Amino acid sequence: MLASRCPMEVCAFSTRGAERVSGRRIGTSTPSSCNTKAQSSSISRVPMQGSRTSSLHATRETLQQYLRRAAVAGHRRRSLRCCICKTSSEQTPSQGGIESQVQALLGEQHRMLRMSDLSRGYCNTVHLATVEGAGEGDGAGGATTTQLVVKLYSDLSTLRVPPEVRGVPDRLLAANEIAPSVVLSTDAGIVHEYVPGRVLSEADMHQPGAASEALMRAVAARLAQLHALPIPAPPFAGEPLVWRWMEAMLGAAAASGATVDYATPGQLQAEVDYLRAALASAGAPVVFAHGDCKPSNLMRRRGGEEASADEGGGAPSAVAKQDLVFIDLELAGPNYRGFDVMKLFRSDEHFSEENMRLFIREYMGTSAPDAGRSSLDTEVERVYVEARMFEPLTWLEAAIFFVLVLTTRKSSSEETERNYKLGKQRWERYLEAKSMIESFGERLEGLPR
């Protein structure tokens, strides 16, 4: 269920580690402001004073100024203007409510017998539905049962993905056998075939040894296959999608009238503008990209030698590219090659440059199989430097996403505290990594062409 937020009110949170000050600002409380009552978990609605800039008129003025400064394309302007009139805060639907949504998406041709949750992430909820549908089988009247993966889009997903794009990447990748087949797709969600297996992890991408080498080669070949796909136009046109996402998220956060205490809207916009200019001048290649190419959005089909790896949590000892499929494709489309590669290898823990270089060598060997040794060495270095140059953008995009979550979603005090810590950590990591734009950009310029 989505609840409309009155434009004259914002949610005020009082938590152990994160609270919204004066009804507008989310941040860590200071010792002087802490008291016994403030330690309790509560959510209240605080009317915003008409004498302050929090009135609806001022909110409209602020967003209009933002739109002029961002100078975004027409469809983005329409999306951001919509945020003035309606800002949603999502509440967790009841299980019965979700089952009704899942059945509505499946339609009359698939009668759901039972359902279980696969995941409930920030953007979407994903469910495993056992359904009965018409077809050849042993049931009465030729009815068969099968398992389907049903994904319901949330407002955080649809904000960044216009209706004409939803489902297009899934069908394209499925047609090329690098994603699960699509059963049906609507504006509200998508239904896929069920693929038994396990998703990859950050540890898989940085684990040493022969098993990891096999995995690097398989993942590299699969990503090269994805990046070689033509970009469908329509529905895709214009600049890389990452800039559209960030402008849409910043616009929705601005329309909420709330802020976080570790970064102002002006700071966030300035960093987006800086990165956009810097990466444009570097001439980074744009391909048909996944867009959210983290390890957990790659799945290894179950079977063969995968069983022991599933139990141990390590990388499989034998893997081929056809064993891997991409999932969670809402953000797929024209984007930077280096952004996809860096998302695969960005790590909070132990970063393996050796694995990343091995991956890139296989990736380039698949992309340009006729390249000579010296030429391949140069291209491996080029893609490695290019990808590292994108690390700051991967952190900034994540930081802005959590600003959106904090300012537009109604959550429990525990969730708010967790999201605040995650958002602040990603903002700090961006600031730490920001110099990589210049340092790796200079290295890229110095490479032979």
Side-chain angles (χ1 to χ4, degrees), residues 92-327:
T92 303
S94 65
Q95 187 70 10
I98 289 180
E99 288 181 358
S100 298
Q101 293 178 55
V102 169
Q103 183 60 74
L105 181 59
L106 288 168
E108 296 180 358
Q109 66 271 37
H110 297 103
R111 185 173 69 87
M112 186 166 66
L113 303 176
R114 55 186 175 274
M115 184 198 84
S116 60
D117 293 343
L118 290 178
S119 69
R120 293 196 184 189
Y122 287 102
C123 286
N124 306 300
T125 62
V126 185
H127 314 277
L128 181 63
T130 301
V131 302
E132 182 181 76
E136 297 180 0
D138 298 329
T144 61
T145 60
T146 188
Q147 289 184 305
L148 299 174
V149 175
V150 182
K151 178 183 292 183
L152 300 174
Y153 299 142
S154 78
D155 54 341
L156 297 186
S157 178
T158 57
L159 173 71
R160 293 173 289 171
V161 185
E164 65 270 17
V165 171
R166 295 171 204 164
V168 172
D170 301 81
R171 293 187 185 281
L172 177 61
L173 270 67
N176 286 272
E177 299 182 342
I178 55 178
S181 63
V182 178
V183 177
L184 62 92
S185 175
T186 74
D187 287 352
I190 193 165
V191 180
H192 291 281
E193 69 166 326
Y194 171 59
V195 178
R198 77 171 181 96
V199 296
L200 301 185
S201 67
E202 186 176 296
D204 289 330
M205 301 305 295
H206 298 278
Q207 179 174 294
S212 183
E213 291 179 12
L215 182 63
M216 292 305 102
R217 292 190 173 93
V219 174
R222 210 48 151 174
L223 188 62
Q225 188 179 358
L226 168 60
H227 286 178
L229 294 176
I231 299 174
F236 297 109
E239 66 182 349
L241 292 177
V242 64
W243 307 120
R244 304 184 189 185
W245 308 334
M246 292 199 291
E247 296 289 3
M249 291 189 289
L250 286 173
S256 74
T259 61
V260 295
D261 68 348
Y262 53 81
T264 68
Q267 284 178 302
L268 294 167
Q269 182 64 53
E271 297 304 328
V272 169
D273 294 342
Y274 166 71
L275 289 189
R276 183 184 298 190
L279 293 171
S281 65
V286 174
V287 297
F288 190 91
H290 185 286
D292 192 20
C293 198
K294 54 191 178 185
S296 59
N297 281 336
L298 263 169
M299 175 171 282
R300 169 79 197 273
R301 296 178 186 271
R302 183 174 297 143
E305 298 178 67
E306 178 64 10
S308 60
D310 279 344
E311 295 171 4
S317 57
V319 58
K321 73 173 185 179
Q322 58 266 28
D323 296 326
L324 301 171
V325 290
F326 290 102
I327 59 174

Side-chain angles (χ1 to χ4, degrees), residues 5-14 18-27 42-49 52-55 59 253-261 406-409:
R5 175 181 299 177
C6 172
M8 296 298 291
E9 297 180 334
V10 296
C11 290
F13 295 89
S14 178
E19 63 183 0
R20 190 169 294 184
V21 182
S22 302
R24 289 181 57 81
R25 192 172 175 84
I26 300 172
S42 63
I43 299 178
S44 61
R45 300 188 71 82
V46 179
M48 298 172 64
Q49 299 301 317
R52 300 174 65 90
T53 58
S54 53
S55 67
T59 302
S256 74
T259 61
V260 295
D261 68 348
L406 288 164
T407 57
T408 64
R409 273 199 168 183

Side-chain angles (χ1 to χ4, degrees), residues 56-109:
L56 178 59
H57 175 72
T59 302
R60 289 179 181 273
E61 270 192 347
T62 300
L63 191 54
Q64 287 166 359
Q65 291 169 3
Y66 169 82
L67 289 169
R68 287 194 295 270
R69 183 175 66 250
V72 293
H75 81 275
R76 276 177 289 159
R77 288 184 179 272
R78 290 193 295 273
S79 296
L80 298 184
R81 281 198 295 269
C82 288
C83 295
I84 300 174
C85 302
K86 180 178 180 181
T87 301
S88 299
S89 33
E90 184 169 288
Q91 299 177 351
T92 303
S94 65
Q95 187 70 10
I98 289 180
E99 288 181 358
S100 298
Q101 293 178 55
V102 169
Q103 183 60 74
L105 181 59
L106 288 168
E108 296 180 358
Q109 66 271 37

Side-chain angles (χ1 to χ4, degrees), residues 349-369:
E349 299 294 334
H350 305 293
F351 171 75
S352 173
E353 179 177 333
E354 180 182 0
N355 280 15
M356 187 171 179
R357 287 185 176 275
L358 173 62
F359 168 91
I360 292 172
R361 179 167 292 277
E362 185 68 27
Y363 173 93
M364 293 308 300
T366 303
S367 302

